[in-house]
Amino acid sequence: MVPAEHALIVATILFCLGAIGVLVRRNFLFVLMAIEIMLNAAGLAFVAASGIHGQPDGQIFFLFILPVAAAEVAIGLALGVLLRLRYGTLDLWQIAQTRED
Amino acid sequence: MISGAPVTLSLEASVLETLRGFYALWPYLILVAGILLVLVVDWFQSSAKSQRVSWIALLACLGSAVSLTKLWPTVLDRPVLLGWNALVFDPFSVFFSLFFLVATFIVITTSRTSKELAGRRMGEYYALLLTATLSAAFLAASQNLVLLYLSFETLSLSSYVLAGYAKDRREGVESSLKYVLFGAVASGIMLYGLSLLYGMVGSLELRDVAKMASQPSLSFLLVMVLLMAGFAFKMSAVPFHFWAPDVYQGAPTPVTAYLSVVSKAAGFAVFLRFAAPMLGVPLFSQAVEEMPKELLFAFLSLLWILATLTMTFGNLVALRQTDIKRLLAYSSIAHAGYMLAAIVAHNQAAYEAVVFYFVAYAIANLGLFFAAQVIHADKGTFDIAGFRGLVHDSPVLAASIAVLLWSLIGLPPSAGFMGKFFLFVALVKQGIASSIASFYYVLVLIALANSVISLYYYIGIIRQMAFYEPSTMLPVCRPTFTARFGLATAAALIVAIQLYWQPLTDLSRAATGSKTPVRAVASYGLVNSTPPRNLAVGDQQ
C-alpha cells in the first residue's frame, strides 16, 4: 500500500513537468498535452488529499475536473484546426514570427 | 439563543428553506432557458436572419434581471443558501448577478449592430454570452471550491470561444490562441492551489478555508499565491495580464467590452468573497477569523506589490498605444490595479469602494468600446486617428466620449472621480487606524501619481477629437441616432452619479453588507450552524 503522501509528491512532480512542458514545447498540441498534465496533477493531488482526510470530497472534485479538461481540449483542438488552416503549422514560434511580418 | 451549538431545523422550516432556495434560483433558470431557446431557435433559422435570436437573449436577460430585483429584498433580509451551502445568494452575489446581466444586456444590444459580427451565425454567440454571464453570476455566489472552479472554467471556456468568434480573421484566431494558452495555464495553477488548499483544510467549503487562515502557516501563503494566478488572470492584473492587450484587440469589440467588464468583475467578485474572511471583512455570512498578523501582512504586501505593478505598468504602456482597443486594454489593466489597491485597505469601506468603482468603470468602458465600434463601422479603423476631429463629424458622440474618458481619468465631475475618492478614503482610513500608516499612504500616493500619468493619454484622445481637423483620408463618421442616444445616456449617467451619488453608495453598502440588520444576519446562523462570531452580541433577543 502506497502512502497518500507519495501520491502528493508524484502530483507535485507531474505538475512541474506540465508547467515546464508548457514553457518549452513549441508545438501547440504538445502544449495542450502539458496543460492536461498540469490539470491531472491537480486531480491526483485531490484524490490523494481525499485519501488523507478520509473523505470523498476530493474524489468528487476530480470527477468534475475531467469534463472541464475535456472541454478545454475540445476548444484547444478546434483552435488547432484553425491554426493549421491559417498558418499551415502548429509550431507556436513560427506562428509568432509570421505575426511580426 | 442561536449562537453556539448547531441548530437542527424542523421539517417545516427545512421545506420552507428549500422553497426559498428555488425562489432564489429563478433568475438563473430563466437564463438557462434563454440559452437553450437561443440555440434551438437558431437551428431553424437561415444564416441571414440569425441576428434575430438576439431578441430571445435580450428577453432572457431582462426576465432574469427583473426576477433578481424581486429577489433583492428577500436576500437583504436573509441570505439564501442552496445545494448544501455551495451557493449563497446574499446581496453581494445578487448585486453582482444584476450587474453582469445589465452589462450583458448592453453587450447584446451592441452586438446586434456590430459590423465585425455581421453575416455570422449568431446562435452560438448569444448562447455563449449568456452561459458566460450565468457562470459569472455563479462565480460571485459560490461558497464551495468545486462550484468556484466549475464556474470559473465555464466562464473561461465560453470567453475563449467568444474571443475567437470572428474565426476567419487573423486577429480572431490569434486572440483566441493567446487567451486559451494563458487561461489554461492560469486555471491549471489555480486548480493546483485548490488541491493543496483542500489537502490542508480537508474541506471544500469557503467557511472552513477561512478557519484555516487563522492558523499561521507559510504553506497557506503559498496556496494563496497559487490561487492569485487564477484570480489575477481574470482581473487581468500583473503578472497575468499578457493576454489582455492582444485578446482585447483581436476579439470582436462587443466581446472586448464584455471581457473588460463582466469577466473582470467576476474575477474581482470571487476574489472579494474568497479573501473577505482572511482580510477580516465580514461579508454577510462569513465568520471573520483573525488571520495572524505576520501572515496578513505578508498577504497584504503581496497585494500591495501586485496593485502597484498593475497600475504603473498599465498606465505606462498605455502611453504608447495608437490603437484604441489596445489603449483601453492597458487602461483596464491599470484600473484593475486601482481596485486591487483598495483591497489592500481590507476594510468595509474598501469593499464598498470597489463595488462603486466597478459601476463607474463599467459605464465608461462599455460606452467607450461601443464608441470605438461605431467609429470603426464608418471609418474602418480602430486607430486613434479615427478620433481625429470627431467633433466636426458628430458633436454629441465626441462630447460623450470626452465625458467617459474624463471619468476614467477620475476628474470631477464624474462617477470615476467619486470611485477614486472612495478608494482613497478607504486606504487613508485604514492608514489612520493602523500602526504602519505609511504602508497605505504610499499606495495612495502611487495611485494618485498613476492618475496623473493616465491623464496624458486620455486627454490625448480628447485633444485629437476637439482640436484637430478630421483626416481627409478617412470617411466621415455618421453615427445613428440610437448610437448617439446610447452614448449620451452613458455620459449623462456618469455626470448624474457625481451630482447624486447617494443611491449608488447605498447600493454598494447594501451589497457588501454594512447595513444588513444584525437581527437578519443572526438568524442566518440557523442554517449556517456557525453564526458569525462578530455578531454574537446581537443574538440576545
Side-chain angles (χ1 to χ4, degrees), chain B residues 191-225:
Chain B
L191 183 65
Y192 190 66
L194 288 179
S195 75
L196 291 186
L197 188 64
Y198 172 68
M200 286 162 56
V201 181
S203 161
L204 290 172
E205 287 193 34
L206 280 190
R207 265 190 296 136
D208 301 322
V209 173
K211 276 183 206 131
M212 186 66 199
S214 59
Q215 292 156 24
S217 77
L218 206 62
S219 42
F220 189 78
L221 197 66
L222 172 75
V223 166
M224 283 312 289
V225 171

PDB file of all heavy atoms in Angstrom, chain B residues 191-225:
ATOM      1  N   LEU B 191      -5.968  25.574 -10.013  1.00  0.00           N
ATOM      2  CA  LEU B 191      -6.509  24.274  -9.610  1.00  0.00           C
ATOM      3  C   LEU B 191      -5.533  23.547  -8.699  1.00  0.00           C
ATOM      4  O   LEU B 191      -5.925  22.925  -7.707  1.00  0.00           O
ATOM      5  CB  LEU B 191      -6.806  23.434 -10.855  1.00  0.00           C
ATOM      6  CG  LEU B 191      -7.448  22.083 -10.576  1.00  0.00           C
ATOM      7  CD1 LEU B 191      -8.813  22.273  -9.970  1.00  0.00           C
ATOM      8  CD2 LEU B 191      -7.560  21.264 -11.844  1.00  0.00           C
ATOM      9  N   TYR B 192      -4.260  23.657  -9.020  1.00  0.00           N
ATOM     10  CA  TYR B 192      -3.260  23.013  -8.170  1.00  0.00           C
ATOM     11  C   TYR B 192      -3.270  23.654  -6.775  1.00  0.00           C
ATOM     12  O   TYR B 192      -3.194  22.953  -5.765  1.00  0.00           O
ATOM     13  CB  TYR B 192      -1.875  23.143  -8.804  1.00  0.00           C
ATOM     14  CG  TYR B 192      -0.849  22.291  -8.111  1.00  0.00           C
ATOM     15  CD1 TYR B 192      -0.943  20.902  -8.147  1.00  0.00           C
ATOM     16  CD2 TYR B 192       0.188  22.859  -7.393  1.00  0.00           C
ATOM     17  CE1 TYR B 192      -0.027  20.119  -7.497  1.00  0.00           C
ATOM     18  CE2 TYR B 192       1.111  22.080  -6.743  1.00  0.00           C
ATOM     19  CZ  TYR B 192       0.997  20.713  -6.792  1.00  0.00           C
ATOM     20  OH  TYR B 192       1.899  19.933  -6.125  1.00  0.00           O
ATOM     21  N   GLY B 193      -3.408  24.978  -6.755  1.00  0.00           N
ATOM     22  CA  GLY B 193      -3.536  25.665  -5.473  1.00  0.00           C
ATOM     23  C   GLY B 193      -4.747  25.175  -4.701  1.00  0.00           C
ATOM     24  O   GLY B 193      -4.686  24.940  -3.489  1.00  0.00           O
ATOM     25  N   LEU B 194      -5.856  24.980  -5.423  1.00  0.00           N
ATOM     26  CA  LEU B 194      -7.069  24.496  -4.757  1.00  0.00           C
ATOM     27  C   LEU B 194      -6.849  23.112  -4.172  1.00  0.00           C
ATOM     28  O   LEU B 194      -7.309  22.811  -3.073  1.00  0.00           O
ATOM     29  CB  LEU B 194      -8.236  24.454  -5.750  1.00  0.00           C
ATOM     30  CG  LEU B 194      -8.828  25.780  -6.196  1.00  0.00           C
ATOM     31  CD1 LEU B 194      -9.948  25.549  -7.200  1.00  0.00           C
ATOM     32  CD2 LEU B 194      -9.374  26.541  -5.007  1.00  0.00           C
ATOM     33  N   SER B 195      -6.119  22.262  -4.918  1.00  0.00           N
ATOM     34  CA  SER B 195      -5.903  20.902  -4.412  1.00  0.00           C
ATOM     35  C   SER B 195      -5.035  20.939  -3.163  1.00  0.00           C
ATOM     36  O   SER B 195      -5.286  20.199  -2.203  1.00  0.00           O
ATOM     37  CB  SER B 195      -5.295  20.015  -5.498  1.00  0.00           C
ATOM     38  OG  SER B 195      -3.935  20.319  -5.668  1.00  0.00           O
ATOM     39  N   LEU B 196      -4.029  21.814  -3.145  1.00  0.00           N
ATOM     40  CA  LEU B 196      -3.208  21.949  -1.935  1.00  0.00           C
ATOM     41  C   LEU B 196      -4.055  22.472  -0.779  1.00  0.00           C
ATOM     42  O   LEU B 196      -3.945  22.008   0.362  1.00  0.00           O
ATOM     43  CB  LEU B 196      -2.042  22.896  -2.183  1.00  0.00           C
ATOM     44  CG  LEU B 196      -0.951  22.413  -3.119  1.00  0.00           C
ATOM     45  CD1 LEU B 196       0.192  23.401  -3.143  1.00  0.00           C
ATOM     46  CD2 LEU B 196      -0.452  21.046  -2.695  1.00  0.00           C
ATOM     47  N   LEU B 197      -4.909  23.439  -1.112  1.00  0.00           N
ATOM     48  CA  LEU B 197      -5.778  24.022  -0.089  1.00  0.00           C
ATOM     49  C   LEU B 197      -6.667  22.933   0.512  1.00  0.00           C
ATOM     50  O   LEU B 197      -6.823  22.835   1.733  1.00  0.00           O
ATOM     51  CB  LEU B 197      -6.630  25.117  -0.725  1.00  0.00           C
ATOM     52  CG  LEU B 197      -7.456  25.974   0.208  1.00  0.00           C
ATOM     53  CD1 LEU B 197      -6.549  26.752   1.124  1.00  0.00           C
ATOM     54  CD2 LEU B 197      -8.321  26.931  -0.587  1.00  0.00           C
ATOM     55  N   TYR B 198      -7.240  22.111  -0.368  1.00  0.00           N
ATOM     56  CA  TYR B 198      -8.086  21.020   0.119  1.00  0.00           C
ATOM     57  C   TYR B 198      -7.277  20.063   0.978  1.00  0.00           C
ATOM     58  O   TYR B 198      -7.746  19.589   2.009  1.00  0.00           O
ATOM     59  CB  TYR B 198      -8.727  20.286  -1.054  1.00  0.00           C
ATOM     60  CG  TYR B 198      -9.459  19.033  -0.635  1.00  0.00           C
ATOM     61  CD1 TYR B 198     -10.612  19.130   0.127  1.00  0.00           C
ATOM     62  CD2 TYR B 198      -8.980  17.787  -0.980  1.00  0.00           C
ATOM     63  CE1 TYR B 198     -11.279  18.000   0.530  1.00  0.00           C
ATOM     64  CE2 TYR B 198      -9.645  16.645  -0.585  1.00  0.00           C
ATOM     65  CZ  TYR B 198     -10.792  16.754   0.172  1.00  0.00           C
ATOM     66  OH  TYR B 198     -11.447  15.622   0.577  1.00  0.00           O
ATOM     67  N   GLY B 199      -6.052  19.805   0.555  1.00  0.00           N
ATOM     68  CA  GLY B 199      -5.207  18.924   1.344  1.00  0.00           C
ATOM     69  C   GLY B 199      -4.949  19.475   2.735  1.00  0.00           C
ATOM     70  O   GLY B 199      -4.892  18.736   3.715  1.00  0.00           O
ATOM     71  N   MET B 200      -4.819  20.811   2.835  1.00  0.00           N
ATOM     72  CA  MET B 200      -4.553  21.420   4.144  1.00  0.00           C
ATOM     73  C   MET B 200      -5.801  21.513   4.996  1.00  0.00           C
ATOM     74  O   MET B 200      -5.766  21.300   6.203  1.00  0.00           O
ATOM     75  CB  MET B 200      -3.977  22.819   3.949  1.00  0.00           C
ATOM     76  CG  MET B 200      -2.538  22.823   3.488  1.00  0.00           C
ATOM     77  SD  MET B 200      -2.104  24.410   2.795  1.00  0.00           S
ATOM     78  CE  MET B 200      -2.514  25.461   4.134  1.00  0.00           C
ATOM     79  N   VAL B 201      -6.914  21.878   4.350  1.00  0.00           N
ATOM     80  CA  VAL B 201      -8.131  22.167   5.122  1.00  0.00           C
ATOM     81  C   VAL B 201      -8.970  20.922   5.336  1.00  0.00           C
ATOM     82  O   VAL B 201      -9.567  20.725   6.391  1.00  0.00           O
ATOM     83  CB  VAL B 201      -8.961  23.253   4.405  1.00  0.00           C
ATOM     84  CG1 VAL B 201     -10.202  23.583   5.191  1.00  0.00           C
ATOM     85  CG2 VAL B 201      -8.131  24.488   4.201  1.00  0.00           C
ATOM     86  N   GLY B 202      -9.021  20.058   4.322  1.00  0.00           N
ATOM     87  CA  GLY B 202      -9.845  18.863   4.438  1.00  0.00           C
ATOM     88  C   GLY B 202     -11.312  19.148   4.216  1.00  0.00           C
ATOM     89  O   GLY B 202     -12.167  18.364   4.609  1.00  0.00           O
ATOM     90  N   SER B 203     -11.603  20.286   3.611  1.00  0.00           N
ATOM     91  CA  SER B 203     -12.994  20.611   3.300  1.00  0.00           C
ATOM     92  C   SER B 203     -13.000  21.512   2.087  1.00  0.00           C
ATOM     93  O   SER B 203     -12.034  22.220   1.826  1.00  0.00           O
ATOM     94  CB  SER B 203     -13.650  21.312   4.484  1.00  0.00           C
ATOM     95  OG  SER B 203     -14.798  21.999   4.045  1.00  0.00           O
ATOM     96  N   LEU B 204     -14.082  21.446   1.336  1.00  0.00           N
ATOM     97  CA  LEU B 204     -14.143  22.268   0.129  1.00  0.00           C
ATOM     98  C   LEU B 204     -14.944  23.533   0.350  1.00  0.00           C
ATOM     99  O   LEU B 204     -15.179  24.291  -0.578  1.00  0.00           O
ATOM    100  CB  LEU B 204     -14.763  21.450  -1.009  1.00  0.00           C
ATOM    101  CG  LEU B 204     -13.882  20.312  -1.527  1.00  0.00           C
ATOM    102  CD1 LEU B 204     -14.644  19.456  -2.509  1.00  0.00           C
ATOM    103  CD2 LEU B 204     -12.637  20.856  -2.173  1.00  0.00           C
ATOM    104  N   GLU B 205     -15.394  23.772   1.585  1.00  0.00           N
ATOM    105  CA  GLU B 205     -16.224  24.944   1.814  1.00  0.00           C
ATOM    106  C   GLU B 205     -15.381  26.153   2.189  1.00  0.00           C
ATOM    107  O   GLU B 205     -14.426  26.045   2.956  1.00  0.00           O
ATOM    108  CB  GLU B 205     -17.240  24.653   2.905  1.00  0.00           C
ATOM    109  CG  GLU B 205     -18.308  23.727   2.397  1.00  0.00           C
ATOM    110  CD  GLU B 205     -19.484  23.664   3.340  1.00  0.00           C
ATOM    111  OE1 GLU B 205     -19.806  24.688   3.964  1.00  0.00           O
ATOM    112  OE2 GLU B 205     -20.063  22.582   3.459  1.00  0.00           O
ATOM    113  N   LEU B 206     -15.784  27.289   1.646  1.00  0.00           N
ATOM    114  CA  LEU B 206     -15.013  28.505   1.893  1.00  0.00           C
ATOM    115  C   LEU B 206     -14.973  28.842   3.383  1.00  0.00           C
ATOM    116  O   LEU B 206     -14.004  29.383   3.880  1.00  0.00           O
ATOM    117  CB  LEU B 206     -15.624  29.683   1.129  1.00  0.00           C
ATOM    118  CG  LEU B 206     -15.281  29.785  -0.354  1.00  0.00           C
ATOM    119  CD1 LEU B 206     -15.743  31.105  -0.903  1.00  0.00           C
ATOM    120  CD2 LEU B 206     -13.784  29.638  -0.555  1.00  0.00           C
ATOM    121  N   ARG B 207     -16.049  28.506   4.091  1.00  0.00           N
ATOM    122  CA  ARG B 207     -16.112  28.799   5.524  1.00  0.00           C
ATOM    123  C   ARG B 207     -14.958  28.120   6.262  1.00  0.00           C
ATOM    124  O   ARG B 207     -14.312  28.698   7.119  1.00  0.00           O
ATOM    125  CB  ARG B 207     -17.427  28.315   6.100  1.00  0.00           C
ATOM    126  CG  ARG B 207     -18.481  29.374   6.165  1.00  0.00           C
ATOM    127  CD  ARG B 207     -19.649  28.858   6.959  1.00  0.00           C
ATOM    128  NE  ARG B 207     -20.268  27.723   6.304  1.00  0.00           N
ATOM    129  CZ  ARG B 207     -20.655  26.615   6.935  1.00  0.00           C
ATOM    130  NH1 ARG B 207     -20.430  26.495   8.216  1.00  0.00           N
ATOM    131  NH2 ARG B 207     -21.233  25.641   6.282  1.00  0.00           N
ATOM    132  N   ASP B 208     -14.740  26.847   5.905  1.00  0.00           N
ATOM    133  CA  ASP B 208     -13.682  26.101   6.580  1.00  0.00           C
ATOM    134  C   ASP B 208     -12.308  26.592   6.160  1.00  0.00           C
ATOM    135  O   ASP B 208     -11.365  26.569   6.940  1.00  0.00           O
ATOM    136  CB  ASP B 208     -13.832  24.611   6.287  1.00  0.00           C
ATOM    137  CG  ASP B 208     -15.177  24.099   6.758  1.00  0.00           C
ATOM    138  OD1 ASP B 208     -15.615  24.552   7.831  1.00  0.00           O
ATOM    139  OD2 ASP B 208     -15.783  23.283   6.052  1.00  0.00           O
ATOM    140  N   VAL B 209     -12.232  27.027   4.914  1.00  0.00           N
ATOM    141  CA  VAL B 209     -10.968  27.600   4.447  1.00  0.00           C
ATOM    142  C   VAL B 209     -10.618  28.817   5.281  1.00  0.00           C
ATOM    143  O   VAL B 209      -9.467  29.015   5.679  1.00  0.00           O
ATOM    144  CB  VAL B 209     -11.069  27.982   2.951  1.00  0.00           C
ATOM    145  CG1 VAL B 209      -9.833  28.724   2.507  1.00  0.00           C
ATOM    146  CG2 VAL B 209     -11.277  26.739   2.108  1.00  0.00           C
ATOM    147  N   ALA B 210     -11.650  29.622   5.573  1.00  0.00           N
ATOM    148  CA  ALA B 210     -11.423  30.826   6.364  1.00  0.00           C
ATOM    149  C   ALA B 210     -10.899  30.465   7.748  1.00  0.00           C
ATOM    150  O   ALA B 210     -10.037  31.136   8.290  1.00  0.00           O
ATOM    151  CB  ALA B 210     -12.713  31.624   6.479  1.00  0.00           C
ATOM    152  N   LYS B 211     -11.441  29.380   8.311  1.00  0.00           N
ATOM    153  CA  LYS B 211     -10.966  28.956   9.630  1.00  0.00           C
ATOM    154  C   LYS B 211      -9.495  28.590   9.581  1.00  0.00           C
ATOM    155  O   LYS B 211      -8.732  28.838  10.499  1.00  0.00           O
ATOM    156  CB  LYS B 211     -11.787  27.754  10.106  1.00  0.00           C
ATOM    157  CG  LYS B 211     -13.081  28.172  10.757  1.00  0.00           C
ATOM    158  CD  LYS B 211     -13.811  26.947  11.264  1.00  0.00           C
ATOM    159  CE  LYS B 211     -15.293  27.237  11.312  1.00  0.00           C
ATOM    160  NZ  LYS B 211     -16.080  26.188  10.687  1.00  0.00           N
ATOM    161  N   MET B 212      -9.139  27.956   8.471  1.00  0.00           N
ATOM    162  CA  MET B 212      -7.754  27.519   8.306  1.00  0.00           C
ATOM    163  C   MET B 212      -6.807  28.727   8.325  1.00  0.00           C
ATOM    164  O   MET B 212      -5.680  28.651   8.818  1.00  0.00           O
ATOM    165  CB  MET B 212      -7.636  26.805   6.957  1.00  0.00           C
ATOM    166  CG  MET B 212      -6.308  26.184   6.699  1.00  0.00           C
ATOM    167  SD  MET B 212      -6.012  24.843   7.850  1.00  0.00           S
ATOM    168  CE  MET B 212      -4.247  24.722   7.673  1.00  0.00           C
ATOM    169  N   ALA B 213      -7.312  29.839   7.804  1.00  0.00           N
ATOM    170  CA  ALA B 213      -6.459  31.012   7.698  1.00  0.00           C
ATOM    171  C   ALA B 213      -6.034  31.528   9.063  1.00  0.00           C
ATOM    172  O   ALA B 213      -5.066  32.276   9.173  1.00  0.00           O
ATOM    173  CB  ALA B 213      -7.196  32.115   6.942  1.00  0.00           C
ATOM    174  N   SER B 214      -6.766  31.145  10.107  1.00  0.00           N
ATOM    175  CA  SER B 214      -6.429  31.669  11.424  1.00  0.00           C
ATOM    176  C   SER B 214      -5.213  30.969  12.011  1.00  0.00           C
ATOM    177  O   SER B 214      -4.688  31.396  13.030  1.00  0.00           O
ATOM    178  CB  SER B 214      -7.624  31.515  12.360  1.00  0.00           C
ATOM    179  OG  SER B 214      -7.968  30.155  12.436  1.00  0.00           O
ATOM    180  N   GLN B 215      -4.777  29.873  11.395  1.00  0.00           N
ATOM    181  CA  GLN B 215      -3.568  29.220  11.894  1.00  0.00           C
ATOM    182  C   GLN B 215      -2.381  29.637  11.028  1.00  0.00           C
ATOM    183  O   GLN B 215      -2.441  29.514   9.811  1.00  0.00           O
ATOM    184  CB  GLN B 215      -3.734  27.696  11.852  1.00  0.00           C
ATOM    185  CG  GLN B 215      -4.752  27.217  12.845  1.00  0.00           C
ATOM    186  CD  GLN B 215      -5.337  25.891  12.454  1.00  0.00           C
ATOM    187  OE1 GLN B 215      -4.720  25.133  11.719  1.00  0.00           O
ATOM    188  NE2 GLN B 215      -6.536  25.610  12.921  1.00  0.00           N
ATOM    189  N   PRO B 216      -1.352  30.141  11.675  1.00  0.00           N
ATOM    190  CA  PRO B 216      -0.236  30.638  10.880  1.00  0.00           C
ATOM    191  C   PRO B 216       0.471  29.499  10.162  1.00  0.00           C
ATOM    192  O   PRO B 216       0.809  28.489  10.762  1.00  0.00           O
ATOM    193  CB  PRO B 216       0.679  31.280  11.920  1.00  0.00           C
ATOM    194  CG  PRO B 216       0.326  30.611  13.195  1.00  0.00           C
ATOM    195  CD  PRO B 216      -1.107  30.232  13.106  1.00  0.00           C
ATOM    196  N   SER B 217       0.639  29.663   8.860  1.00  0.00           N
ATOM    197  CA  SER B 217       1.460  28.684   8.146  1.00  0.00           C
ATOM    198  C   SER B 217       1.927  29.308   6.847  1.00  0.00           C
ATOM    199  O   SER B 217       1.200  30.068   6.209  1.00  0.00           O
ATOM    200  CB  SER B 217       0.676  27.408   7.886  1.00  0.00           C
ATOM    201  OG  SER B 217      -0.203  27.607   6.828  1.00  0.00           O
ATOM    202  N   LEU B 218       3.134  28.966   6.498  1.00  0.00           N
ATOM    203  CA  LEU B 218       3.719  29.507   5.288  1.00  0.00           C
ATOM    204  C   LEU B 218       3.074  28.865   4.064  1.00  0.00           C
ATOM    205  O   LEU B 218       2.909  29.499   3.029  1.00  0.00           O
ATOM    206  CB  LEU B 218       5.227  29.252   5.297  1.00  0.00           C
ATOM    207  CG  LEU B 218       6.040  30.245   4.488  1.00  0.00           C
ATOM    208  CD1 LEU B 218       5.865  31.645   5.058  1.00  0.00           C
ATOM    209  CD2 LEU B 218       7.501  29.848   4.509  1.00  0.00           C
ATOM    210  N   SER B 219       2.682  27.582   4.228  1.00  0.00           N
ATOM    211  CA  SER B 219       2.112  26.883   3.082  1.00  0.00           C
ATOM    212  C   SER B 219       0.780  27.516   2.675  1.00  0.00           C
ATOM    213  O   SER B 219       0.415  27.510   1.508  1.00  0.00           O
ATOM    214  CB  SER B 219       1.929  25.403   3.387  1.00  0.00           C
ATOM    215  OG  SER B 219       1.433  25.228   4.674  1.00  0.00           O
ATOM    216  N   PHE B 220       0.083  28.094   3.664  1.00  0.00           N
ATOM    217  CA  PHE B 220      -1.165  28.757   3.319  1.00  0.00           C
ATOM    218  C   PHE B 220      -0.898  29.954   2.408  1.00  0.00           C
ATOM    219  O   PHE B 220      -1.633  30.200   1.458  1.00  0.00           O
ATOM    220  CB  PHE B 220      -1.887  29.208   4.583  1.00  0.00           C
ATOM    221  CG  PHE B 220      -3.267  29.712   4.312  1.00  0.00           C
ATOM    222  CD1 PHE B 220      -4.295  28.820   4.091  1.00  0.00           C
ATOM    223  CD2 PHE B 220      -3.524  31.060   4.238  1.00  0.00           C
ATOM    224  CE1 PHE B 220      -5.569  29.275   3.808  1.00  0.00           C
ATOM    225  CE2 PHE B 220      -4.797  31.519   3.953  1.00  0.00           C
ATOM    226  CZ  PHE B 220      -5.812  30.621   3.742  1.00  0.00           C
ATOM    227  N   LEU B 221       0.177  30.654   2.704  1.00  0.00           N
ATOM    228  CA  LEU B 221       0.544  31.798   1.868  1.00  0.00           C
ATOM    229  C   LEU B 221       0.884  31.327   0.454  1.00  0.00           C
ATOM    230  O   LEU B 221       0.508  31.954  -0.537  1.00  0.00           O
ATOM    231  CB  LEU B 221       1.722  32.533   2.489  1.00  0.00           C
ATOM    232  CG  LEU B 221       1.936  33.946   1.965  1.00  0.00           C
ATOM    233  CD1 LEU B 221       0.782  34.846   2.342  1.00  0.00           C
ATOM    234  CD2 LEU B 221       3.237  34.511   2.472  1.00  0.00           C
ATOM    235  N   LEU B 222       1.599  30.186   0.378  1.00  0.00           N
ATOM    236  CA  LEU B 222       1.952  29.627  -0.927  1.00  0.00           C
ATOM    237  C   LEU B 222       0.684  29.323  -1.719  1.00  0.00           C
ATOM    238  O   LEU B 222       0.579  29.640  -2.907  1.00  0.00           O
ATOM    239  CB  LEU B 222       2.787  28.356  -0.740  1.00  0.00           C
ATOM    240  CG  LEU B 222       3.055  27.587  -2.022  1.00  0.00           C
ATOM    241  CD1 LEU B 222       4.114  28.292  -2.848  1.00  0.00           C
ATOM    242  CD2 LEU B 222       3.465  26.154  -1.738  1.00  0.00           C
ATOM    243  N   VAL B 223      -0.294  28.732  -1.026  1.00  0.00           N
ATOM    244  CA  VAL B 223      -1.554  28.419  -1.690  1.00  0.00           C
ATOM    245  C   VAL B 223      -2.213  29.688  -2.198  1.00  0.00           C
ATOM    246  O   VAL B 223      -2.712  29.750  -3.332  1.00  0.00           O
ATOM    247  CB  VAL B 223      -2.489  27.663  -0.713  1.00  0.00           C
ATOM    248  CG1 VAL B 223      -3.907  27.632  -1.252  1.00  0.00           C
ATOM    249  CG2 VAL B 223      -1.989  26.267  -0.481  1.00  0.00           C
ATOM    250  N   MET B 224      -2.192  30.741  -1.371  1.00  0.00           N
ATOM    251  CA  MET B 224      -2.801  31.999  -1.798  1.00  0.00           C
ATOM    252  C   MET B 224      -2.097  32.539  -3.041  1.00  0.00           C
ATOM    253  O   MET B 224      -2.737  33.078  -3.940  1.00  0.00           O
ATOM    254  CB  MET B 224      -2.734  33.048  -0.679  1.00  0.00           C
ATOM    255  CG  MET B 224      -3.748  32.863   0.432  1.00  0.00           C
ATOM    256  SD  MET B 224      -5.432  32.581  -0.139  1.00  0.00           S
ATOM    257  CE  MET B 224      -5.840  34.191  -0.772  1.00  0.00           C
ATOM    258  N   VAL B 225      -0.775  32.379  -3.088  1.00  0.00           N
ATOM    259  CA  VAL B 225      -0.041  32.848  -4.267  1.00  0.00           C
ATOM    260  C   VAL B 225      -0.485  32.077  -5.505  1.00  0.00           C
ATOM    261  O   VAL B 225      -0.738  32.660  -6.570  1.00  0.00           O
ATOM    262  CB  VAL B 225       1.480  32.699  -4.040  1.00  0.00           C
ATOM    263  CG1 VAL B 225       2.235  32.977  -5.323  1.00  0.00           C
ATOM    264  CG2 VAL B 225       1.941  33.637  -2.956  1.00  0.00           C
TER     265      VAL B 225
END
